Amino acid sequence: MFINCHSFHSLRYGTLSIEELVRQAHELGVKQLVLTDINTVTGIYDFKKACEDLGIKPIPGVEVRKDGKLLYVAIARRFSGIGEINKVITDHNFDDKELFETAPECKEVFVVYPMSNIPAELKANEFIGVRIEELNFLIRPEYKKYISKMVVLHPVTFSTDEEYGLHKILRAIDNNILLSKLTKREVCRQSEYFISEQHIVKTFERYPQIIENTKNILEQCDFEFDFKKVKNKQFYTKSKESDVQLLRRLAYLGLEKRYGFGHEVAQIRVEKELGVIDELNFCSYFLITWDIIRYSNKMGFMHVGRGSGANSIVSYCLGITDICPLELDLYFERFLNLNRKTPPDFDLDWSWQNRDAILEYIFDRYGKEHVAFCGTNVEFKYRSIFREVGKVFGLPKEELDDLSKKPMESHDRNSVVRQVQKYGKLLEKFPNQRSMHACGILISEEPITHYTALEMPPKGFPIVQFDMNVAEDIGLEKFDILSQRGLGTINDTVNLVKKTRGITIDIRDTTLSKNEEQANEYLAVGKTIGCFYIESPAMRGLLRRLKCDNYRTLVAASSIIRPGVAQSGMMREYIFRHNHPDQFEYFHPVFEEHLKETYGIMVYQEDVIKIAQYFGGLSLADGDILRRAMSGKGRSIQKLQEVKDNFFELCKKKGHSEALTAEAYRQIESFAGYSFCKAHSASYAVESYQSLYLKVYYPLEFMVSVINNQGGFYRTEVYIHEAKMSGGNIQTPCVNTGEYQTTLKGADVYLGLMLLEGLETRIAHAIVEERERNGDYKSLEDFIRRISIGIETVQILIFIGAFRFTGKPKNELLVEARLLLVNFKPENRGLMLIEEPVQEFKLPQLKRENFEDAFDEIELIGFPVSCSPFDLLQTKYRGSVFVNNLLKFHKRQVKMLAYLISRKHVPTKKGTMYFGTWIDVNGEYFDTAHFPDSLKQYDFQGGGCYLLLGTVEVDFHFPTITIHKMAKMPMIPDPRYAYDKEKQYDIHRQIKEDVSMTSRKPYPQAHEIGLPRGRLI
């Protein structure tokens, strides 16, 4: 009887999850159920599984609405009917095709109109839905004639009075109005919850035809769907046979290119992989990926192929990846074996500048009807919950800010706030809106609207209405097309080196960087600021602790920095064993045999699978379940628990002690969701080496490219500091010498106009374009005549020194600009350009104080360029100890003066702690630890220079300072406001710092890990 049920996928309307909706129906003995979310099929596949688990017949449909008004309910008679509904919704979403009051012609769809929207004529598949409260209307003549075409319409939207209140809050959020302003039209009726079918039958007993019609619809519907059948594009060519032939030919061409003639080991591996790829029907997946890479190479784009697919020698031979599986002993069969039903992951990275071109190629090449992005359900998060719910209760902005930023226990306890908290808790995990998955592309054999309606988000690429987990469940495997700034930096550096030095670098030749001695020296001391993946404080500290000076160690480091390995204590133990290989014993022979390269420690996903198989005796199929859990893809906790139970049982049969088994599984479990496969780490390591090689040999070109790609872990100021440390002469933007982006001329680094806060992008580009067309600007007046610009923008350029080519001081230029612009009108610009000569103004000499330029720079780009932050301090003291001597002060107290670069927040049981990164007066970096006790009295006070007192702790070659006391050092007053005491310290608050938040616990110390260093029995 329930042909119109909503879940919370009816965004900002329904209040029931799919599971809860189905559970409530089951408890009432319902045997047939229709899910009709509003203009979406997001939940139908989870709905089918949930219903069949409880013995309910699932039926999919859609409630079609326009501008909030219910037009009709569309119910799929067969699965093809869903495709018909999807087409209607997609056409509306894409082409603004009208959603008419009456449904379009559909062969496999039943249509139910509400009594408020009865069409002039009803087709054979169309009915009128009657609610219980509308039964009295049937005595009217205008409705009597329709009784033979009527069905029961009892919508389900919520389940309790509390949920009805939540529904109203969701509607107020959706309409962006106060709760008190909601009208009846905007909310569902108070009767929209499950009641017994017996009650419905009893209520409609005078109209048995209506009951019969409803039953007939439910009986005729059938949701047939094969979850196991692959829905991806079946063949790259016209058949499987020709796909196999093409893949083999390409693999052998690549084999010759990568390994030369007669490499028997590589050939055996290629043959083995081709056999498995063929048997699992993954040829088209490999070929489509190859095709995308082929186009990329044709366009001259640089890419990185990573993910588990990089374990494959076929992918290496096809040019999808640049990781040699033989060099690193990568295990293809751990990720692509005959027990596996899904293809391996290929995470394909391009520069953020090139990714859209790749996406356009994919959509054009494979057809817009067959390609779409995965969707993702953006849930209500802590901040958005309290902000959104508080807003509908009418709370002012200041209170909303407090609610969203402060922990719940510190909120005020008035009645309104209690209501906000009550409904806020109910909203946790609710989907709030649909968005585009960051990288997942689906390419289907059938038109993609067979499975889902499509939506068009602001970004401009169509998305399906479900997420990647559902896509995978129904047999649609995604292609991951990503972008990153690291590749943009590498590519731009190579081009800049060609331009400035005339040197061509084949950066794709990975042997160029991996075996480079000086690059390895930089790596070992963590001199890696700006380099992809290895520039963060944590990573630089790890590199130093490992004295990492080779490719294999960097590959391991790329994985052990991941939260799963680090949090379990295995990162710490790896560091110990790497530095003291003679001070531990493998706690079981299997660990020595299979994990010798990583000192018996599980570092990669492959390691976990090897231990599960060889130590625990698990099958490769169960190993794959573990792998999916480790990569965050496991959706079945129950299945994972079964694998765990099986592991313990098999270990017992193998004679392992309970303690030994528990320790092995503890290490396995710690990886869940947070580990890399070895090939993935290797891909990261290659890119890290490529960027490091460029940093070593072409430091200015490299840092300029980092700046233009808008950096990485740190703010722009840090990369400009690195350029300065590399011998660059940093110049502020100039209208005659500079460009929109930062440029390099010899050793002079001209900061780009794009860095000027307050300068419109349009004007910045216009300045450069006009200069390229008509030559350099001769004077300020010449500039003003040629560029349509107001006094505020001229002042920005004057203050930053963009007219220093005139030789005039800033004060004089400001007066001149005001004189020029005081009566200036845009319509006179052309006349002035033709008729009036450049004027020369005679002005009195205007004195500027020292450091005025520095304060201008802080105001306009966020940091000083013409001097160091240390030069602006009131004190001349520069510290007692410097970074280059820290290793000598182990366990000793030091006093240092330092400029704050970044700090990372880490919550602990005792309160917040921070890890800080600083530079000393010599520009060298060092790190600090700030525990809750010291922060209570000596907390951070924003960006700037601090006097630090702490104890040096040298941990495996890496010094950090545990801070006991610190104080922010006062800067000189702003000399620009010598006569305005109130403004003398305003600009100081603009000094920046990087603050990163994390919810992770601090990494365990050596005594907390308890990882056995001896054999366990």
Side-chain angles (χ1 to χ4, degrees):
M1 296 296 128
F2 299 101
I3 64 171
N4 185 203
C5 297
H6 305 111
S7 75
F8 60 18
H9 291 299
S10 292
L11 298 178
R12 300 179 178 185
Y13 194 95
T15 68
L16 298 165
S17 67
I18 295 290
E19 293 74 17
E20 186 60 22
L21 178 74
V22 174
R23 186 190 65 77
Q24 289 186 22
H26 175 66
E27 287 178 354
L28 282 171
V30 173
K31 295 300 180 187
Q32 298 157 316
L33 195 63
V34 186
L35 178 68
T36 54
D37 278 317
I38 298 169
N39 292 357
T40 184
V41 294
T42 302
I44 63 171
Y45 300 104
D46 285 341
F47 172 72
K48 177 175 171 65
K49 287 187 172 183
C51 282
E52 289 174 350
D53 284 347
L54 294 176
I56 297 174
K57 176 183 176 181
I59 301 169
V62 173
E63 180 176 299
V64 179
R65 289 188 177 231
K66 178 184 174 185
D67 300 327
K69 179 186 176 184
L70 170 60
L71 302 182
Y72 51 86
V73 176
I75 303 168
R77 189 202 313 256
R78 300 280 180 272
F79 182 71
S80 58
I82 278 294
E84 294 179 298
I85 301 168
N86 289 337
K87 194 75 173 64
V88 172
I89 301 296
T90 300
D91 287 346
H92 173 68
N93 290 341
F94 273 53
D95 304 322
D96 286 329
K97 196 169 181 180
E98 187 73 20
L99 284 175
F100 293 106
E101 301 275 313
T102 55
E105 191 76 45
C106 292
K107 295 179 181 177
E108 296 292 349
V109 175
F110 289 114
V111 176
V112 178
Y113 293 98
M115 288 187 69
S116 58
N117 185 35
I118 300 176
E121 290 185 19
L122 287 172
K123 303 184 188 81
N125 65 323
E126 295 182 337
F127 298 85
I128 297 166
V130 182
R131 294 171 178 259
I132 289 173
E133 55 268 35
E134 294 170 336
L135 274 172
N136 291 335
F137 296 153
L138 300 191
I139 61 173
R140 297 181 185 176
E142 64 266 30
Y143 292 124
K144 265 188 177 181
K145 61 181 180 178
Y146 289 117
I147 288 176
S148 64
K149 291 286 285 182
M150 285 183 172
V151 294
V152 176
L153 185 64
H154 183 81
V156 174
T157 302
F158 63 93
S159 62
T160 63
D161 289 342
E162 186 177 60
E163 281 185 13
Y164 184 62
L166 181 63
H167 163 77
K168 290 198 289 185
I169 285 168
L170 287 166
R171 300 307 301 130
I173 290 172
D174 192 47
N175 286 281
N176 197 25
I177 57 176
L178 293 173
L179 197 56
S180 57
K181 299 290 185 183
L182 274 178
T183 64
K184 283 186 177 180
R185 182 180 178 276
E186 287 152 344
V187 298
C188 75
R189 302 191 193 186
Q190 285 184 270
S191 59
E192 293 191 14
Y193 54 85
F194 276 117
I195 58 177
S196 72
E197 290 189 336
Q198 291 85 346
H199 179 69
I200 293 174
V201 171
K202 177 75 175 169
T203 307
F204 279 81
E205 63 183 352
R206 291 177 55 201
Y207 303 99
Q209 179 71 59
I210 295 177
I211 295 292
E212 197 60 34
N213 288 343
T214 311
K215 287 180 176 178
N216 283 341
I217 285 179
L218 294 171
E219 289 298 327
Q220 289 182 60
C221 292
D222 192 7
F223 189 179
E224 289 183 357
F225 186 79
D226 183 357
F227 282 90
K228 293 180 180 178
K229 182 182 176 184
V230 174
K231 315 298 187 303
N232 280 48
K233 183 171 174 58
Q234 295 295 295
F235 315 119
Y236 175 74
T237 58
K238 293 182 179 179
S239 68
K240 180 181 175 181
E241 291 72 26
S242 55
D243 272 8
V244 171
Q245 288 173 7
L246 177 59
L247 184 63
R248 172 173 291 277
R249 186 166 65 83
L250 293 171
Y252 270 87
L253 285 171
L255 178 66
E256 182 183 325
K257 182 179 177 183
R258 294 288 198 184
Y259 296 100
F261 289 106
H263 197 300
E264 188 177 346
V265 174
Q267 185 175 341
I268 290 171
R269 171 87 173 229
V270 166
E271 275 299 325
K272 182 178 181 182
E273 289 191 15
L274 286 172
V276 177
I277 292 169
D278 178 15
E279 191 163 345
L280 292 174
N281 294 314
F282 293 159
C283 286
S284 64
Y285 189 84
F286 273 78
L287 287 170
I288 290 170
T289 307
W290 163 79
D291 175 60
I292 296 167
I293 299 305
R294 178 178 61 165
Y295 173 77
S296 172
N297 292 337
K298 176 185 169 186
M299 296 298 292
F301 299 156
M302 183 175 177
H303 85 280
V304 168
R306 51 187 176 83
S308 61
N311 280 41
S312 159
I313 197 169
V314 169
S315 67
Y316 182 55
C317 291
L318 293 178
I320 296 170
T321 68
D322 285 316
I323 306 301
C324 172
L326 303 182
E327 179 187 8
L328 288 173
D329 194 23
L330 300 180
Y331 292 90
F332 170 82
E333 56 269 56
R334 298 294 175 260
F335 287 90
L336 193 52
N337 57 73
L338 295 176
N339 295 287
R340 181 174 179 160
K341 303 305 176 192
T342 59
D345 293 329
F346 285 120
D347 295 333
L348 303 173
D349 290 325
W350 278 271
S351 162
W352 59 284
Q353 301 152 327
N354 303 139
R355 180 177 181 245
D356 280 358
I358 295 296
L359 292 175
E360 285 171 14
Y361 171 74
I362 295 170
F363 277 86
D364 291 343
R365 170 71 175 79
Y366 296 98
K368 290 181 169 57
E369 290 189 347
H370 297 267
V371 185
F373 266 91
C374 274
T376 181
N377 287 316
V378 180
E379 296 176 346
F380 282 99
K381 299 291 194 305
Y382 183 89
R383 287 192 175 192
S384 67
I385 286 175
F386 289 116
R387 196 173 289 281
E388 295 277 16
V389 177
K391 197 192 301 181
V392 304
F393 277 99
L395 295 179
K397 182 180 183 301
E398 296 74 24
E399 277 196 68
L400 294 177
D401 290 341
D402 272 354
L403 287 175
S404 65
K405 291 176 183 175
K406 292 181 179 177
M408 205 159 78
E409 55 271 17
S410 66
H411 292 174
D412 289 336
R413 300 301 296 167
N414 63 58
S415 58
V416 175
V417 170
R418 282 201 299 273
Q419 287 285 90
V420 172
Q421 289 178 341
K422 169 187 168 184
Y423 286 109
K425 282 183 178 177
L426 292 175
L427 272 183
E428 285 179 356
K429 302 297 182 186
F430 260 54
N432 179 23
Q433 59 189 15
R434 266 182 299 280
S435 183
M436 189 170 82
H437 186 275
C439 59
I441 294 276
L442 304 175
I443 304 177
S444 62
E445 177 69 18
E446 302 292 337
I448 211 154
T449 50
H450 278 35
Y451 312 105
T452 173
L454 300 176
E455 297 179 3
M456 183 66 84
K459 183 126 184 183
F461 290 106
I463 64 169
V464 300
Q465 291 185 323
F466 43 70
D467 64 21
M468 67 174 191
N469 290 315
V470 173
E472 193 174 302
D473 274 353
I474 69 173
L476 273 170
E477 295 298 331
K478 63 184 173 64
F479 295 79
D480 288 323
I481 310 296
L482 302 100
S483 68
Q484 48 150 289
R485 298 192 181 275
L487 280 174
T489 296
I490 291 170
N491 200 48
D492 287 355
T493 305
V494 170
N495 292 335
L496 189 54
V497 169
K498 175 76 173 173
K499 179 181 176 182
T500 58
R501 307 196 192 197
I503 298 172
T504 301
I505 306 167
D506 182 10
I507 202 65
R508 297 297 292 271
D509 178 3
T510 56
T511 60
L512 185 71
S513 52
K514 283 194 300 189
N515 299 326
E516 212 294 310
E517 185 177 349
Q518 195 173 344
N520 283 332
E521 289 173 6
Y522 272 51
L523 196 63
V525 295
K527 200 173 178 181
T528 54
I529 298 285
C531 298
F532 173 76
Y533 197 68
I534 54 173
E535 65 166 334
S536 70
M539 193 66 183
R540 289 187 297 107
L542 175 59
L543 295 173
R544 290 184 66 177
R545 288 180 174 97
L546 295 173
K547 282 193 173 177
C548 178
D549 62 357
N550 62 80
Y551 175 53
R552 282 181 177 270
T553 304
L554 180 57
V555 172
S558 298
S559 191
I560 64 174
I561 195 72
R562 297 285 291 166
V565 193
Q567 200 60 62
S568 67
M570 286 191 270
M571 177 176 79
R572 180 84 193 178
E573 186 63 17
Y574 182 93
I575 294 168
F576 173 85
R577 295 185 183 191
H578 180 78
N579 283 280
H580 304 291
D582 56 340
Q583 293 184 26
F584 76 94
E585 187 180 1
Y586 293 95
F587 74 81
H588 191 275
V590 168
F591 282 73
E592 182 172 11
E593 180 184 353
H594 292 283
L595 305 182
K596 193 157 190 174
E597 184 184 332
T598 54
Y599 313 109
I601 293 169
M602 285 179 270
V603 168
Y604 311 110
Q605 289 180 6
E606 291 95 326
D607 297 341
V608 178
I609 296 170
K610 279 189 272 187
I611 294 305
Q613 183 183 2
Y614 296 114
F615 176 83
L618 287 180
S619 66
L620 281 174
D622 279 350
D624 198 51
I625 291 170
L626 276 179
R627 174 193 69 80
R628 296 170 69 75
M630 288 183 292
S631 58
K633 294 181 181 175
R635 299 185 81 196
S636 172
I637 303 226
Q638 179 185 350
K639 188 67 179 170
L640 192 59
Q641 184 61 45
E642 288 173 10
V643 172
K644 179 179 179 179
D645 294 342
N646 191 24
F647 178 83
F648 275 81
E649 186 63 34
L650 289 170
C651 284
K652 190 175 181 181
K653 288 179 181 176
K654 279 177 166 278
H656 300 323
S657 70
E658 193 169 329
L660 179 61
T661 303
E663 174 57 30
Y665 196 81
R666 182 190 76 81
Q667 294 180 30
I668 289 173
E669 209 167 26
S670 71
F671 276 69
Y674 296 109
S675 66
F676 281 165
C677 69
K678 192 175 183 180
H680 196 89
S681 289
S683 299
Y684 268 23
V686 166
E687 188 178 343
S688 298
Y689 259 116
Q690 288 169 328
S691 52
L692 181 58
Y693 174 84
L694 296 172
K695 177 184 172 74
V696 169
Y697 286 102
Y698 310 101
L700 291 181
E701 288 88 348
F702 179 74
M703 294 319 306
V704 165
S705 298
V706 172
I707 293 163
N708 286 335
N709 280 275
Q710 297 166 44
F713 187 88
Y714 305 97
R715 62 186 182 274
T716 300
E717 177 186 3
V718 178
Y719 302 114
I720 291 172
H721 169 73
E722 276 290 292
K724 194 173 184 180
M725 295 289 285
S726 300
N729 303 316
I730 311 301
Q731 307 286 340
T732 54
C734 173
V735 296
N736 268 349
T737 320
E739 305 282 344
Y740 178 71
Q741 292 190 322
T742 299
T743 53
L744 180 65
K745 297 183 180 179
D748 292 325
V749 177
Y750 285 89
L751 301 184
L753 292 167
M754 66 183 283
L755 298 179
L756 281 173
E757 297 174 12
L759 182 67
E760 288 182 49
T761 301
R762 173 184 59 82
I763 291 176
H765 281 297
I767 290 169
V768 177
E769 289 164 5
E770 166 60 24
R771 188 185 75 215
E772 288 174 348
R773 278 194 305 266
N774 298 310
D776 285 357
Y777 302 101
K778 300 179 182 66
S779 65
L780 175 61
E781 183 173 358
D782 181 44
F783 177 85
I784 289 172
R785 285 184 177 184
R786 291 162 63 182
I787 301 294
S788 180
I789 199 167
I791 186 63
E792 293 85 1
T793 307
V794 172
Q795 285 180 172
I796 289 171
L797 293 167
I798 290 171
F799 281 131
I800 204 61
F803 297 102
R804 56 188 179 276
F805 69 90
T806 64
K808 296 178 181 179
K810 292 180 182 179
N811 313 50
E812 188 175 322
L813 288 167
L814 284 169
V815 174
E816 185 179 331
R818 290 192 175 96
L819 288 172
L820 284 166
L821 290 167
V822 67
N823 293 316
F824 185 82
K825 294 180 180 178
E827 59 266 27
N828 296 332
R829 176 174 299 280
L831 293 172
M832 286 180 65
L833 187 61
I834 296 166
E835 296 173 4
E836 296 184 17
V838 173
Q839 298 179 45
E840 287 294 330
F841 294 95
K842 296 289 184 183
L843 298 171
Q845 189 173 359
L846 301 168
K847 185 184 175 187
R848 274 178 70 83
E849 298 293 333
N850 288 336
F851 299 122
E852 281 195 45
D853 286 347
F855 281 90
D856 285 340
E857 290 152 9
I858 293 170
E859 185 170 353
L860 295 173
I861 58 177
F863 51 88
V865 174
S866 54
C867 69
S868 155
F870 296 94
D871 296 331
L872 300 178
L873 296 177
Q874 292 181 14
T875 180
K876 299 299 180 187
Y877 178 73
R878 293 296 180 259
S880 306
V881 175
F882 302 101
V883 172
N884 56 3
N885 288 320
L886 276 180
L887 288 172
K888 300 175 183 176
F889 286 85
H890 181 47
K891 296 294 183 183
R892 290 166 62 187
Q893 200 168 90
V894 295
K895 189 189 289 185
M896 298 184 71
L897 189 71
Y899 181 61
L900 180 59
I901 298 298
S902 67
R903 57 186 167 110
K904 183 165 189 169
H905 160 277
V906 179
T908 72
K909 290 179 181 177
K910 294 183 178 179
T912 291
M913 75 174 292
Y914 281 97
F915 294 101
T917 299
W918 312 74
I919 57 170
D920 69 3
V921 71
N922 298 317
E924 301 291 340
Y925 299 89
F926 69 98
D927 294 87
T928 57
H930 305 253
F931 290 92
D933 290 343
S934 79
L935 285 168
K936 284 176 185 174
Q937 283 185 279
Y938 305 102
D939 203 353
F940 287 89
Q941 303 296 321
C945 293
Y946 287 71
L947 185 63
L948 307 172
L949 180 70
T951 301
V952 178
E953 305 283 348
V954 179
D955 180 49
F956 297 109
H957 334 293
F958 178 64
T960 57
I961 303 174
T962 300
I963 299 300
H964 310 310
K965 296 180 180 180
M966 70 175 181
K968 188 174 177 182
M969 303 303 286
M971 290 168 59
I972 59 172
D974 188 340
R976 303 173 304 169
Y977 297 102
Y979 302 105
D980 189 343
K981 301 295 182 186
E982 289 184 8
K983 290 187 176 180
Q984 281 189 340
Y985 290 94
D986 281 359
I987 203 67
H988 299 62
R989 288 188 284 274
Q990 290 189 34
I991 299 289
K992 295 180 181 177
E993 58 171 333
D994 295 326
V995 184
S996 54
M997 308 295 287
T998 179
S999 58
R1000 74 161 175 83
K1001 300 172 185 174
Y1003 296 146
Q1005 297 303 301
H1007 66 278
E1008 299 173 307
I1009 296 169
L1011 198 68
R1013 288 181 184 161
R1015 184 158 298 196
L1016 287 181
I1017 300 172

